[in-house]
Amino acid sequence: MAPTQLSQGLSQAESEARLWQHGPNELPDHHRGKGWAAVVALLAPIVGEPMLLLLVGAGAIYFLLGDRGEAVFMMGFVAVVILLTIVQERRTQSALRALKDLSSPRALVVRDGEERRIPGREVVPGDLLVLHEGDRVPADARLVSGLLSVDESLLTGESAAVQKRMKENEEVLLFASTLVTRGLGLAEVTTTGSATEVGKIGQELQGAPLPATALQLASRRMVRVLAIVGLGFAVIQVLLGWLWVGKAFLPSLLDGLALAMAVLPEEIPVVLTIFLALGAWRISRSRVLTRRMPAIEMLGAATVLCVDKTGTLTLNQMTLKKLAIDGRTAILGADVADLSEEFHALLENAILASKRDPFDPMELALQAAGDRLLMKTEHLHPDWSLFREYPLTPHLLAVSQAWKLGAGEDVVVASKGAPEAIAALCRLSP
């Protein structure tokens, strides 16, 4: 694979060739299938049910004896279970795939020297990603330039954002599905799809066996006990009819199966499937999709929900509480509807140093305070246009925004960041 020209990114032709070579940047869906393979995958959890096997066996014997009416009646129960399972699973998977396509993230990449917004599934190894705060990283990549704070809790469980900055003789890696919470950077894609770290986790989870639910275990235990009793009576019935009474073997076997089915609760799989399907339909009316039927059972069995959150429960919001200038402070409570003029410029420049459509909680708090306290003043500038943005760098821990004043050539620059960085930008004396 040829290296990417960092200033130009990949060409359109090269990106199409790599997409063909590596496939789309998405995790494989093990629920997908075509034709009979999909049907077999859907029926795998229920084909081993003993009552279904007994119904199929009895129906086959009735066919051999020529009693098609009884055979069709027996097979009807089997068809109901299979049909309910296929319809519910297919309906759920179709809705989940539609939601997945709708929520698929889009990526900003450099192609042929231009920034382009493309679907995340079209990202290929070697693509040059442009990452802003609020962006979801579409694939595993290495940081090329910039300074980022990234939320990697999806992979590590750690809620605090991790700072990513360039280091000498060391690659700085970004991982698919993590979230950029602050900063601006360029990254070159290294792996996509199932080869990413989150893709490897997904593949391991797909191979993990699903344990039986409490209801399945209880029903199987009951069926096993009744099956032993019923089959015992059936064997006695067959031996008595065949050896004692002198009936033919097949009619004797059918009599034995009829006795076993009278003892065994053959409606259990049908009833369980119908009730779970009704539960899935009921909660779907509240716009909740059921991915697996046993989830309905677990939800119905729950009496207490225990939720744990390490640390303090919060709204994940920040609020501006205090402004300070030259030793003077202004406390901003909910009842404060106006500011004295000396604090207007401070809040004005804090807003100008932030993004117009922010993602960062601190910038959101500044914008909310400005909308509440500066609305009736001349210190809000919706008519100004962003001329240039200077993101954080390892050498200058400050963010600067250059704003163009209307149609003229005048530009205003507002900065925020570490105290030493702001002091250097303002050329303050020691």
Side-chain angles (χ1 to χ4, degrees):
M1 187 172 67
T4 304
Q5 296 293 329
L6 295 183
S7 60
Q8 296 293 316
L10 295 178
S11 66
Q12 186 62 29
E14 178 65 19
S15 63
E16 291 175 358
R18 295 189 184 188
L19 183 62
W20 176 263
Q21 177 185 356
H22 297 278
N25 178 37
E26 58 186 3
L27 300 182
D29 188 352
H30 67 286
H31 294 286
R32 289 190 182 182
K34 295 182 179 180
W36 289 107
V39 176
V40 171
L42 290 176
L43 297 182
I46 65 170
V47 293
E49 290 289 340
M51 292 313 307
L52 280 180
L53 297 177
L54 191 61
L55 287 172
V56 172
I61 294 176
Y62 273 119
F63 267 120
L64 292 175
L65 294 176
D67 193 345
R68 297 187 176 181
E70 290 291 339
V72 171
F73 182 74
M74 292 290 179
M75 293 300 184
F77 285 105
V78 179
V80 168
V81 176
I82 292 175
L83 185 63
L84 280 173
T85 303
I86 291 177
V87 169
Q88 180 61 32
E89 286 281 346
R90 279 298 191 187
R91 181 168 173 261
T92 300
Q93 293 306 322
S94 297
L96 288 172
R97 280 197 296 270
L99 286 176
K100 180 180 177 182
D101 294 338
L102 185 64
S103 60
S104 177
R106 299 181 68 81
L108 185 62
V109 299
V110 179
R111 295 269 177 91
D112 293 317
E114 298 179 354
E115 292 187 2
R116 299 181 187 176
R117 184 74 66 176
I118 64 172
R121 68 187 306 273
E122 295 180 8
V123 172
V124 297
D127 256 330
L128 191 61
L129 301 173
V130 182
L131 297 172
H132 298 82
E133 61 183 49
D135 287 345
R136 184 77 62 178
V137 181
D140 285 2
R142 66 177 183 88
L143 188 64
V144 174
S145 66
L147 178 62
L148 301 173
S149 292
V150 182
D151 178 4
E152 296 183 344
S153 58
L154 180 72
L155 292 174
T156 64
E158 176 56 53
S159 59
V162 179
Q163 193 173 77
K164 304 283 186 175
R165 66 168 67 191
M166 296 296 297
K167 300 177 183 178
E168 292 184 6
N169 303 322
E170 183 179 344
E171 280 192 337
V172 179
L173 301 179
L174 303 172
F175 302 104
S177 299
T178 57
L179 183 68
V180 179
T181 59
R182 185 173 298 175
L184 173 66
L186 294 177
E188 184 181 1
V189 175
T190 55
T191 53
T192 59
S194 57
T196 61
E197 293 301 315
V198 70
K200 294 174 184 177
I201 295 175
Q203 286 183 322
E204 291 183 6
L205 290 178
Q206 286 182 15
L210 293 176
T213 65
L215 189 58
Q216 288 173 330
L217 293 174
S219 63
R220 288 174 186 173
R221 192 161 46 244
M222 182 180 68
V223 168
R224 190 181 304 115
V225 173
L226 293 177
I228 294 173
V229 175
L231 290 176
F233 282 119
V235 170
I236 295 174
Q237 174 69 25
V238 171
L239 294 177
L240 288 176
W242 183 32
L243 299 178
W244 185 266
V245 180
K247 294 176 68 174
F249 177 73
L250 276 180
S252 299
L253 180 60
L254 195 58
D255 290 342
L257 284 175
L259 179 60
M261 293 176 63
V263 175
L264 293 176
E266 67 272 6
E267 69 277 1
I268 282 182
V270 180
V271 171
L272 289 182
T273 303
I274 290 176
F275 272 83
L276 293 179
L278 286 175
W281 170 78
R282 185 176 177 184
I283 68 171
S284 70
R285 297 173 64 186
S286 299
R287 299 182 180 180
V288 177
L289 292 174
T290 305
R291 194 180 186 94
R292 294 189 177 277
M293 284 291 192
I296 302 296
E297 172 202 338
M298 302 304 294
L299 183 62
T303 55
V304 177
L305 294 177
C306 300
V307 182
D308 174 63
K309 168 75 167 64
T310 303
T312 306
L313 289 171
T314 68
L315 294 175
N316 196 28
Q317 295 177 355
M318 297 178 71
T319 303
L320 186 63
K321 301 296 292 183
K322 183 188 294 186
L323 296 174
I325 299 178
D326 294 333
R328 298 184 302 278
T329 61
I331 306 299
L332 306 180
D335 55 340
V336 175
D338 195 11
L339 276 178
S340 59
E341 185 63 31
E342 58 184 344
F343 294 104
H344 282 178
L346 176 60
L347 184 54
E348 174 189 10
N349 283 281
I351 295 172
L352 289 175
S354 306
K355 291 183 178 295
R356 176 157 282 171
D357 185 18
F359 173 81
D360 181 75
M362 183 180 70
E363 294 186 350
L364 287 171
L366 292 172
Q367 189 178 74
D371 291 341
R372 182 165 63 93
L373 301 172
L374 301 180
M375 186 58 68
K376 297 179 180 180
T377 71
E378 72 280 4
H379 297 282
L380 288 182
H381 310 283
D383 56 326
W384 289 10
S385 60
L386 183 63
F387 177 67
R388 186 169 178 179
E389 179 181 0
Y390 299 88
L392 285 168
T393 67
H395 308 293
L396 185 63
L397 298 178
V399 174
S400 300
Q401 305 264 96
W403 298 90
K404 202 167 185 179
L405 282 62
E409 297 297 325
D410 294 336
V411 173
V412 170
V413 179
S415 300
K416 64 177 181 179
E420 63 273 16
I422 298 299
L425 287 173
C426 296
R427 296 181 174 87
L428 299 182
S429 64

